[in-house]
Amino acid sequence: DLTEFPSLFANDPLCENDTLRLETFAVPSATYEWTGPNGFTSNNQNPVIENVTIVNEGIYSMTRTNGSCSVTGLINIVIYTRPSVVIDSQNDVSCTGLSDGGVSVIASGGTAPYVYDWSNDSSSANVIGLSAGNYGLVVSDNHHCFSDSLSVTIGDNSSIPPTADST
């Protein structure tokens, strides 16, 4: 029945860069007009917004019209910021073959607490006892939003061996 308040659905809450899917039930011969934050408009029954950002957060309105009868529904969409992570300090190994390298990172944005997921299964912002090599890190936050991947290379800090003087 078109005189009832329309049911609206969405896959929120979302993290930045996720895809928002707005949905309502189909009514034969009806037209749909969606409006929302940041100038959003759509005539699709179930519009999709890819790579959402904070500017896509807020109240979305959908008006369904069939002939001379129109009904409007509202839905509030929540979008969380993603955490970011940067290297605070890094120490290469002191000599080839040793495992005394380390790295310290700082996470920000998103919503603490943060979870640190290193490629070597470490789970701290400060990792020590590293061998020379490449390490990857992704940070997630309290809303299960993920940072971009951070790559860290721990060098071996070895000296170039002396060469014989041919003179």
Side-chain angles (χ1 to χ4, degrees):
D1 183 357
L2 278 176
T3 60
E4 295 177 8
F5 188 78
S7 296
L8 305 181
F9 308 96
N11 59 324
D12 80 319
L14 300 166
C15 301
E16 290 177 306
N17 297 336
D18 284 349
T19 297
L20 171 61
R21 290 176 174 76
L22 299 165
E23 299 178 1
T24 189
F25 293 119
V27 174
S29 304
T31 60
Y32 304 87
E33 182 181 338
W34 288 85
T35 60
N38 200 36
F40 173 78
T41 62
S42 176
N43 292 321
N44 293 328
Q45 173 193 339
N46 299 318
V48 172
I49 303 171
E50 294 182 3
N51 297 313
V52 295
T53 64
I54 280 302
V55 300
N56 301 112
E57 182 176 72
I59 305 282
Y60 286 78
S61 170
M62 189 280 302
T63 300
R64 183 177 62 209
T65 304
N66 191 346
S68 62
C69 185
S70 293
V71 291
T72 299
L74 303 173
I75 189 168
N76 185 41
I77 302 299
V78 175
I79 300 171
Y80 297 116
T81 57
R82 295 172 53 205
S84 60
V85 61
V86 295
I87 297 172
D88 183 42
S89 64
Q90 176 178 337
N91 295 312
D92 291 338
V93 297
S94 59
C95 252
T96 301
L98 294 182
S99 297
D100 60 355
V103 62
S104 177
V105 297
I106 297 175
S108 62
T111 305
Y114 302 112
V115 174
Y116 300 86
D117 185 13
W118 288 93
S119 58
N120 69 341
D121 295 326
S122 293
S123 59
S124 169
N126 303 304
V127 181
I128 58 173
L130 296 176
S131 302
N134 297 317
Y135 299 87
L137 168 67
V138 174
V139 173
S140 60
D141 72 357
N142 195 49
H143 295 294
H144 305 287
C145 295
F146 295 89
S147 70
D148 288 334
S149 181
L150 177 70
S151 180
V152 177
T153 300
I154 301 296
D156 67 11
N157 231 0
S158 61
S159 308
I160 299 174
T163 56
D165 187 359
S166 60
T167 56

